[in-house]
Amino acid sequence: MTIPLRRIGGLAAASVAALSLLGACTPPDKAVGDTQEKEPDVAFDGLDRGDVVIGFIGSDRPDFDRVALQAFEDSGLAASYLSVAEVEDPARAAQQGVKDMAERQVAIIVVSRLDIADDTADGWDDALGDARGAGIPVALLNPLSDLPDDTLYAAALTINDRAADATPIDDAVMTIIDDLPHDKDMMVGTLVDE
């Protein structure tokens, strides 16, 4: 079947229609990466770890960030790190970092120690909304504040390396990226088996 194409301002009509569907990449009433209640009927192989780039938005504590970044590296996951530890306005820098990572089309954005204040709430809604609109899942790592809109993040990850039942952080991130069933709040560990 051939679809007749008509030019509209230099774009084919079919291209315009395809572009209008891009906004449909976000699941209704759920976060990107938090859409599976059960295993899919058709098996999905998922992304290879070597193809994954994590957009990691740092916190006010670079030593804390370093532990998670080392776990990602040890498990074969690449991360693009934005430090906000010594900037004048860390919340604004982190929000811009989320927007930049969304434009780069990373596989997932991890925001370390998210802290929302009254004067930063709208900026976080905008930044995380950009990631959602781009179809990129967001994970909050040891968040200091709750987000009122749970469609803006796929999971909140809390590091507890002493818990025997903690999910390895790399496995948790890959589960979110591959949109497999998972809890909204997950306890994770950063100790990677060699």
Side-chain angles (χ1 to χ4, degrees), residues 13 60 75 78 98 100 122 131-132 139 148 151 158 168 188:
D60 58 339
S75 64
V98 169
D100 292 346
D122 288 341
R132 177 177 165 71
T151 66
T158 303
V188 297

Side-chain angles (χ1 to χ4, degrees), residues 11-148:
L11 289 176
S15 297
V16 172
L19 289 173
S20 68
L21 294 176
L22 287 178
C25 293
T26 57
D29 302 324
K30 295 215 181 250
V32 174
D34 191 28
T35 56
Q36 298 290 323
E37 279 90 24
K38 63 182 182 106
E39 292 287 338
D41 293 334
V42 178
F44 171 61
D45 187 24
L47 290 177
D48 291 330
R49 286 176 179 252
D51 295 333
V52 169
V53 176
I54 299 167
F56 193 98
I57 309 302
S59 70
D60 58 339
R61 295 185 40 206
D63 289 341
F64 174 80
D65 298 341
R66 206 172 350 263
V67 170
L69 289 166
Q70 187 63 53
F72 292 139
E73 182 180 326
D74 291 347
S75 64
L77 296 173
S80 179
Y81 178 59
L82 172 70
S83 174
V84 298
E86 296 185 23
V87 298
E88 189 173 321
D89 188 348
R92 185 171 164 87
Q95 292 163 2
Q96 186 59 50
V98 169
K99 290 176 178 241
D100 292 346
M101 295 295 179
E103 286 180 15
R104 289 181 54 190
Q105 289 291 303
V106 295
I108 188 170
I109 297 172
V110 176
V111 182
S112 182
R113 296 175 44 87
L114 176 76
D115 192 10
I116 299 175
D118 289 340
D119 62 334
T120 63
D122 288 341
W124 279 115
D125 284 346
D126 290 344
L128 297 173
D130 283 2
R132 177 177 165 71
I136 298 172
V138 172
L140 307 178
L141 183 62
N142 281 33
L144 302 175
S145 305
D146 290 331
L147 269 177

Side-chain angles (χ1 to χ4, degrees), residues 54 72 77 108 110 157 169-178:
I54 299 167
F72 292 139
L77 296 173
I108 188 170
V110 176
L157 310 177
I169 193 169
D170 58 308
D171 290 345
V173 166
M174 290 303 297
T175 296
I176 295 166
I177 291 169
D178 291 339

